[in-house]
Amino acid sequence: MAMKRRTFVGAIAAAAILPAVAVRAQAPAKARVVVIGGGFGGTTAAKFLRLEDPGIAVTLVEPKAEFHTCPASNYVIGGFRKLADIVQDYSALAGRHGVRHVREAAVAIDPASKTVRLSGGQTLAYDKLVLSPGVDMRWGDIEGYDEAASATMPHAWHAGPQTALLRRQLEAMPDGGVVALSIPGLPYRCPPGPYERISLIAHYLKMAKPRSKILALDGKDAFSKQALFQDGWAELYKDMIEWVPLGQDGKIVEVVPGEMTLVSEFGQRHKAAVANVIPPQFAGNIARESGLADKAGQFEGWCPIDPFTFESTLAKDVYVIGDAANGGVMPKSGFSASSEAKAVARHIASLVAGRTPDLPVYINTCYSLVAPDYGISVADVFRPTKDGIVATPGAGGLSPRHPPDAAAFRHHEAEYAYGWYASMSQDIWG
Ligand SMILES: Cc1cc2nc3c(=O)[nH]c(=O)nc-3n(C[C@H](O)[C@H](O)[C@H](O)COP(=O)(O)OP(=O)(O)OC[C@H]3O[C@@H](n4cnc5c(N)ncnc54)[C@H](O)[C@@H]3O)c2cc1C
């Protein structure tokens, strides 16, 4: 009897709570934040805004249901991961974190009326906007290289079908063929990415097509982690990789997809069995078309930001993060994008709560694989100053070139690279 009574009292208590919960659920949001782009920057921003303050209503505008990560896409190209291994989705974001996911593209931003127009015609109003659309390709910068040409000469610089295409082409090419890569000058997405790709294509060719060669045609004279990559190439892929810097006519200015030919600045013609053309890039179309990117100068096509807040210097209450932003010395990486997103989420939550925002610190750690069990890395801590973002001296560093037990060291760094991917995926999409 006593038990029944307790159950009954409990039921009444629960019923009494219900209306209060319902009222709370309908309470007006403290602020409306729209996030454009569900990649490394945007998804982190959406999730961490909700973690900072569940009273903020967050809408993520991202047309895709699934996102293929560029990080680890070189593993797919190297043949030791499948495309399905690099897929993330938005179920935790919508379910666990209460972010509204609108599966449309943003087609226009109007900072004056603080609205975003969607591909379906609807308009979203915002108090704060976070924009992380990544990069788009500068089609036509290399003569003959447009979207149609990328079906023959893939860039694979957006992960997904392009990644799978490049992998299929490598599988289909004959032993003894040349794989040519065209690599742009800075700035572009993931400075060490092309060199990890060269390494992992070499890893595949060494096993499956050992008479083949890689010709890396570069629009610059030096690259990220260069000595470490070149040590690894000499050790693992002797005579397989030829890297041609800008100073030796490495810059590709034209392609002829029908002839699988790449043409250099001074007219050398390189014929390839597989051509991976990574074209110059700029901030995602929506950022540029909405007037948020520089229209001239060294950083034409990239979005200028306040280094303390990542707020656009061209539009109030619009925060541009990730690859699209001109973060100065910060490399365009997924880790940077996510680090910027967390700082922006905290900044916005502080403003909403009426707190003075903290001074942010940004970080980047970037692992690259030279082979599946051979990793190298670079790490940096960045701080904003009135003259831009600067690296903190002594706070980061590169893998050593000659560690005592080199094989074990490189093996451990490869393990850390896989761990990095797993923990980043969980941190952002989990
Ligand atoms: C081969 C390769 C390897 C890499 N490896 C690493 C690595 O190991 N570590 C690392 O840290 N980084 C790595 N990167 C870099 C990393 O992928 C990018 O720096 C990172 O994705 C940038 O994040 P983002 O949010 O700016 O853009 P993205 O992650 O590309 O996200 C942009 C999103 O915006 C969406 N979008 C675009 N326009 C609109 C619109 N109009 N409306 C709605 N949505 C829109 C897109 O669909 C996309 O989902 C690598 C890159 C490449 C190419």
Side-chain angles (χ1 to χ4, degrees):
M1 192 60 190
M3 279 283 284
K4 276 192 187 148
R5 191 166 174 278
R6 262 206 302 276
T7 312
F8 177 71
V9 172
I12 293 203
I17 288 165
L18 269 178
V21 171
V23 168
R24 233 190 347 257
Q26 286 163 13
K30 292 182 192 167
R32 298 158 304 171
V33 181
V34 172
V35 179
I36 298 177
F40 279 77
T43 310
T44 309
K47 172 175 168 178
F48 279 80
L49 274 160
R50 296 282 302 169
L51 291 177
E52 286 282 349
D53 186 345
I56 298 175
V58 180
T59 303
L60 174 71
V61 180
E62 164 62 63
K64 290 187 265 193
E66 289 184 330
F67 178 80
H68 288 93
T69 62
C70 283
S73 65
N74 286 333
Y75 308 177
V76 178
I77 291 164
F80 55 99
R81 287 287 187 280
K82 299 275 173 245
L83 200 59
D85 297 330
I86 60 165
V87 175
Q88 307 293 338
D89 70 38
Y90 303 99
S91 50
L93 201 65
R96 192 175 308 153
H97 302 297
V99 172
R100 180 175 160 233
H101 179 190
V102 174
R103 285 203 46 207
E104 290 184 43
V107 293
I109 299 164
D110 180 4
S113 63
K114 296 179 102 175
T115 54
V116 175
R117 190 152 47 79
L118 303 179
S119 45
Q122 199 199 341
T123 296
L124 292 177
Y126 65 81
D127 300 307
K128 304 277 182 196
L129 177 72
V130 182
L131 180 60
S132 193
V135 293
D136 273 303
M137 307 301 151
R138 292 189 191 240
W139 302 121
D141 247 38
I142 296 177
E143 197 184 326
Y145 197 68
D146 54 14
E147 196 159 7
S150 74
T152 311
M153 297 177 151
H155 53 77
W157 222 240
H158 281 144
Q162 281 271 307
T163 314
L165 175 61
L166 181 55
R167 175 65 197 161
R168 281 199 306 276
Q169 291 186 345
L170 291 169
E171 284 172 331
M173 71 175 254
D175 189 7
V178 172
V179 178
L181 287 93
S182 166
I183 304 167
L186 290 166
Y188 63 90
R189 158 173 288 187
C190 195
Y195 310 96
E196 180 186 68
R197 178 168 294 172
I198 291 167
S199 309
L200 297 181
I201 291 176
H203 162 75
Y204 167 69
L205 295 178
K206 185 177 165 181
M207 288 188 315
K209 302 173 188 196
R211 294 190 299 116
S212 306
K213 295 263 183 263
I214 297 174
L215 180 63
L217 300 157
D218 211 327
K220 57 192 172 306
D221 281 318
F223 59 87
S224 169
K225 303 181 227 176
Q226 181 167 349
L228 290 163
F229 273 114
Q230 290 182 324
D231 287 349
W233 295 348
E235 188 183 330
L236 302 176
Y237 312 120
K238 202 167 172 341
D239 299 331
M240 185 173 252
I241 299 167
E242 184 186 353
W243 175 65
V244 186
L246 175 68
Q248 290 171 23
D249 197 20
K251 185 175 176 184
I252 293 303
V253 295
E254 185 188 348
V255 295
V256 189
E259 298 171 15
M260 288 300 282
T261 297
L262 300 91
V263 186
S264 76
E265 207 175 359
F266 296 103
Q268 288 191 68
R269 298 177 80 81
H270 303 281
K271 204 166 162 53
V274 173
N276 174 204
V277 178
I278 305 167
Q281 299 140 41
F282 44 24
N285 293 339
I286 180 72
R288 297 186 341 278
E289 287 163 8
S290 301
L292 296 167
D294 276 337
K295 292 197 168 63
Q298 192 191 354
F299 297 105
E300 179 269 315
W302 303 101
C303 301
I305 47 93
D306 175 338
F308 289 89
T309 60
F310 272 80
E311 187 173 8
S312 166
T313 57
L314 302 175
K316 197 172 162 351
D317 294 319
V318 176
Y319 297 78
V320 187
I321 56 172
D323 291 352
N326 176 9
V329 295
M330 278 188 82
K332 297 188 183 299
S333 78
F335 200 119
S336 295
S338 184
S339 173
E340 294 156 13
K342 287 176 183 175
V344 164
R346 180 127 188 104
H347 178 85
I348 292 174
S350 298
L351 295 181
V352 169
R355 292 190 308 259
T356 306
D358 310 321
L359 201 59
V361 175
Y362 312 112
I363 47 176
N364 180 54
T365 304
C366 177
Y367 290 95
S368 300
L369 293 185
V370 181
D373 63 349
Y374 187 124
I376 56 178
S377 66
V378 62
D380 274 299
V381 177
F382 299 96
R383 287 171 199 281
T385 73
K386 61 179 180 28
D387 301 319
I389 294 173
V390 297
T392 310
L398 275 170
S399 309
R401 273 185 84 181
H402 305 292
D405 185 352
F409 198 93
R410 306 291 182 227
H411 170 78
H412 283 132
E413 289 234 273
E415 292 297 314
Y416 301 151
Y418 301 125
W420 176 89
Y421 185 82
S423 58
M424 283 300 280
S425 304
Q426 178 60 29
D427 194 41
I428 299 174
W429 283 276

